[in-house]
């Protein structure tokens, strides 16, 4: 069966979608990613969709699902590289991807993920400090 | 309105959808449709073809290049012989779904094209026709 590869880099998982997705492939990715988050205890998931020319309501829902499921598993999700035409179409379609973090490219996406994880760490340290 | 070219593509499984989308892209590029307009058209087609597979058990699509006042456009017709839609106004409402989807398929597809018409007969099937003109108007 066809699959989208998931790469592990430190505490992050990277996915670059290089093909146009059909529903089953998107569902398989959702399933694989959540299992990988659990298995690797990843803190962040970065999904690069710069090569994806179509995001319809189903694909949008899958992106939303991945973000909410990861959040429950204590991992942040960032979707990067959306083509302008795709963004215009998504909004007109009525899908705003609320709850999904986005960044322009992979670099900025990684930055955002690091920030998110960094923040959690400093907050915890702050908490300990105040207890002591 | 005149029909410049037409072809039939059968949709029976999910992988057919990818081929169908690619074919629309080729045709739309050929008539010089902008990327944004192409993306809107293909996204609408993707929604409709999914409905056809999920609720209609597959069907036939017609992909046509048409022309009106010498402005070209793409017309897509989606025909299935599924159970049909009982209440079309309800099906066209944002957020309504008999499945587990977001209910954006039909109303979203309508927003993405210039012309949208739907005919359905319970027990016989559903036909949806959409048009997107090259200039987007």
């Amino acid at each position: 069966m066809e699959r989208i590869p998931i790469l592990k880099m430190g505490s992050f998982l990277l996915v670059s979608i290089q093909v146009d997705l059909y529903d089953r492939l998107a569902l398989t990715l959702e399933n694989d990613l959540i299992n990988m988050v659990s298995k690797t205890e990843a803190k962040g998931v970065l999904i690069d969709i710069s090569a994806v020319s179509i995001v319809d309501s189903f694909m949008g829902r899958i992106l939303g699902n991945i973000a909410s499921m990861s959040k429950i598993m204590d991992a942040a999700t960032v979707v990067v590289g959306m083509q302008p035409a795709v963004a215009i179409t998504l909004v007109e379609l009525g899908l705003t991807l609320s709850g999904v973090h986005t960044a322009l490219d992979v670099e900025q996406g990684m930055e955002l993920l690091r920030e998110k994880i960094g923040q959690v760490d400093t907050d915890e340290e702050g908490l300990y400090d105040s207890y002591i | 309105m005149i029909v410049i070219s037409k072809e039939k593509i059968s949709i029976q499984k999910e992988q057919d959808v990818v081929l169908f989308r690619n074919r629309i892209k080729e045709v739309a590029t050929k008539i010089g449709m902008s990327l944004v307009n192409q993306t809107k058209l293909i996204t609408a087609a993707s929604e409709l073809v999914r409905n056809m597979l999920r609720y209609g058990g597959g069907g036939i699509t017609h992909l046509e290049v048409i022309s009106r006042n010498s402005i070209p456009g793409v017309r897509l017709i989606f025909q299935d012989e599924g159970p049909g839609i009982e209440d079309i106004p309800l099906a066209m409402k944002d957020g309504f779904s008999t499945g587990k989807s977001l209910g954006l398929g039909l109303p979203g597809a309508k927003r993405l094209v210039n012309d949208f018409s739907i005919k359905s007969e319970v027990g016989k099937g559903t036909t949806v026709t959409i048009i997107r003109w090259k200039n987007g108007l």
Side-chain angles (χ1 to χ4, degrees), chain A residues 56-95:
Chain A
D56 61 12
S57 66
F58 187 83
M59 180 59 198
R61 185 164 66 120
I62 296 284
L63 289 175
N65 284 355
I66 291 173
S68 357
M69 289 176 188
S70 313
K71 197 176 168 200
I72 293 170
M73 315 258 304
D74 192 28
T77 303
V78 179
V79 172
V80 307
M82 185 180 289
Q83 292 177 16
V86 172
I88 294 168
T89 303
L90 265 185
V91 170
E92 205 150 311
L93 185 67
L95 209 73

Side-chain angles (χ1 to χ4, degrees), chain B residues 12-27:
Chain B
Q12 302 303 333
K13 54 183 192 304
E14 273 185 21
Q15 280 88 337
D16 296 339
V17 176
V18 177
L19 293 176
F20 176 58
R21 293 197 297 216
N22 289 344
R23 190 64 198 127
I24 303 172
K25 187 159 187 70
E26 278 168 29
V27 167

Side-chain angles (χ1 to χ4, degrees), chain B residues 57-125:
Chain B
I60 303 286
T61 58
H62 299 259
L63 167 56
E64 301 174 343
V65 175
I66 55 174
S67 173
R68 187 184 61 185
N69 304 329
S70 62
I71 291 169
V74 175
R75 176 163 68 185
L76 301 172
I77 304 165
F78 304 82
Q79 260 173 336
D80 71 54
E81 292 175 356
I85 301 170
E86 250 173 68
D87 188 342
I88 292 179
L90 183 63
M92 290 304 297
K93 264 193 186 163
D94 268 317
F96 175 80
S97 174
T98 54
K100 281 186 192 161
S101 71
L102 298 172
L104 286 175
L106 283 178
K110 187 179 181 186
R111 282 193 289 272
L112 292 173
V113 295
N114 300 121
D115 201 272
F116 181 101
S117 71
I118 179 165
K119 286 194 195 83
S120 190
E121 211 176 316
V122 173
K124 292 217 167 139

